[in-house]
CSV table of all heavy atoms in Angstrom, one decimal:
chain,number,residue,atom,x,y,z
A,589,ARG,N,15.3,-6.5,76.5
A,589,ARG,CA,15.5,-5.2,77.1
A,589,ARG,C,14.7,-4.1,76.3
A,589,ARG,O,14.2,-3.1,77.0
A,589,ARG,CB,17.0,-4.8,76.9
A,589,ARG,CG,17.4,-3.5,77.6
A,589,ARG,CD,18.9,-3.3,77.5
A,589,ARG,NE,19.3,-2.1,78.2
A,589,ARG,CZ,19.3,-0.9,77.6
A,589,ARG,NH1,19.0,-0.8,76.3
A,589,ARG,NH2,19.7,0.2,78.3
A,590,THR,N,14.6,-4.3,75.0
A,590,THR,CA,13.7,-3.3,74.2
A,590,THR,C,12.3,-3.4,74.7
A,590,THR,O,11.6,-2.4,74.9
A,590,THR,CB,13.8,-3.6,72.7
A,590,THR,OG1,15.1,-3.5,72.3
A,590,THR,CG2,12.9,-2.7,71.9
A,591,GLN,N,11.8,-4.6,75.0
A,591,GLN,CA,10.4,-4.8,75.5
A,591,GLN,C,10.2,-4.2,76.9
A,591,GLN,O,9.2,-3.6,77.2
A,591,GLN,CB,10.0,-6.3,75.5
A,591,GLN,CG,10.0,-6.9,74.1
A,591,GLN,CD,9.8,-8.4,74.2
A,591,GLN,OE1,9.7,-9.0,75.4
A,591,GLN,NE2,9.7,-9.1,73.1
A,592,LEU,N,11.3,-4.3,77.7
A,592,LEU,CA,11.2,-3.7,79.0
A,592,LEU,C,11.1,-2.2,78.9
A,592,LEU,O,10.3,-1.5,79.7
A,592,LEU,CB,12.5,-4.0,79.8
A,592,LEU,CG,12.6,-3.4,81.2
A,592,LEU,CD1,11.5,-3.9,82.1
A,592,LEU,CD2,14.0,-3.8,81.8
A,593,GLN,N,11.8,-1.5,78.0
A,593,GLN,CA,11.7,-0.1,77.9
A,593,GLN,C,10.3,0.4,77.4
A,593,GLN,O,9.8,1.3,77.8
A,593,GLN,CB,12.8,0.4,76.9
A,593,GLN,CG,14.2,0.3,77.4
A,593,GLN,CD,14.5,1.1,78.6
A,593,GLN,OE1,14.0,2.2,78.8
A,593,GLN,NE2,15.4,0.6,79.5
A,594,VAL,N,9.8,-0.5,76.4
A,594,VAL,CA,8.4,-0.2,75.9
A,594,VAL,C,7.4,-0.3,77.0
A,594,VAL,O,6.5,0.5,77.2
A,594,VAL,CB,8.1,-1.1,74.7
A,594,VAL,CG1,6.6,-0.9,74.3
A,594,VAL,CG2,9.0,-0.8,73.6
A,595,ALA,N,7.5,-1.3,77.9
A,595,ALA,CA,6.6,-1.5,79.0
A,595,ALA,C,6.6,-0.4,80.0
A,595,ALA,O,5.6,0.1,80.5
A,595,ALA,CB,6.8,-2.9,79.7
A,596,LEU,N,7.8,0.1,80.4
A,596,LEU,CA,8.0,1.1,81.4
A,596,LEU,C,7.4,2.4,80.8
A,596,LEU,O,6.8,3.2,81.6
A,596,LEU,CB,9.5,1.3,81.7
A,596,LEU,CG,10.1,0.2,82.5
A,596,LEU,CD1,11.6,0.4,82.6
A,596,LEU,CD2,9.5,0.1,83.9
A,597,ASN,N,7.6,2.7,79.5
A,597,ASN,CA,7.1,4.0,78.9
A,597,ASN,C,5.6,3.9,78.6
A,597,ASN,O,4.9,4.9,78.6
A,597,ASN,CB,7.8,4.3,77.6
A,597,ASN,CG,9.3,4.6,77.9
A,597,ASN,OD1,9.6,5.1,79.0
A,597,ASN,ND2,10.1,4.2,77.0
A,598,GLY,N,5.0,2.7,78.3
A,598,GLY,CA,3.7,2.6,77.8
A,598,GLY,C,2.6,2.3,78.9
A,598,GLY,O,1.4,2.4,78.6
A,599,LEU,N,3.0,1.8,80.1
A,599,LEU,CA,2.0,1.5,81.1
A,599,LEU,C,1.1,2.7,81.5
A,599,LEU,O,-0.1,2.5,81.6
A,599,LEU,CB,2.7,0.9,82.3
A,599,LEU,CG,1.8,0.4,83.5
A,599,LEU,CD1,0.9,-0.7,83.0
A,599,LEU,CD2,2.7,-0.1,84.6
A,600,PRO,N,1.7,3.9,81.8
A,600,PRO,CA,0.8,5.0,82.1
A,600,PRO,C,-0.2,5.3,81.0
A,600,PRO,O,-1.4,5.6,81.3
A,600,PRO,CB,1.8,6.1,82.4
A,600,PRO,CG,3.1,5.5,82.7
A,600,PRO,CD,3.1,4.2,81.9
A,601,ASP,N,0.2,5.3,79.8
A,601,ASP,CA,-0.7,5.6,78.6
A,601,ASP,C,-1.8,4.6,78.5
A,601,ASP,O,-2.9,4.9,78.3
A,601,ASP,CB,0.1,5.6,77.3
A,601,ASP,CG,1.2,6.8,77.3
A,601,ASP,OD1,1.0,7.7,78.1
A,601,ASP,OD2,2.1,6.7,76.5
A,602,ALA,N,-1.5,3.3,78.7
A,602,ALA,CA,-2.5,2.3,78.6
A,602,ALA,C,-3.6,2.4,79.7
A,602,ALA,O,-4.8,2.2,79.5
A,602,ALA,CB,-1.8,0.9,78.7
A,603,GLN,N,-3.1,2.8,80.9
A,603,GLN,CA,-4.1,3.0,82.0
A,603,GLN,C,-5.0,4.1,81.8
A,603,GLN,O,-6.2,4.1,82.0
A,603,GLN,CB,-3.3,3.2,83.3
A,603,GLN,CG,-2.6,1.9,83.8
A,603,GLN,CD,-1.6,2.1,85.0
A,603,GLN,OE1,-1.3,3.3,85.3
A,603,GLN,NE2,-1.2,1.1,85.6
A,604,ALA,N,-4.5,5.3,81.2
A,604,ALA,CA,-5.3,6.4,80.9
A,604,ALA,C,-6.3,6.1,79.8
A,604,ALA,O,-7.5,6.5,79.8
A,604,ALA,CB,-4.4,7.6,80.5
Side-chain angles (χ1 to χ4, degrees):
R589 184 174 181 275
T590 301
Q591 294 174 358
L592 177 61
Q593 293 295 330
V594 172
L596 292 172
N597 295 328
L599 182 59
D601 295 337
Q603 291 171 343

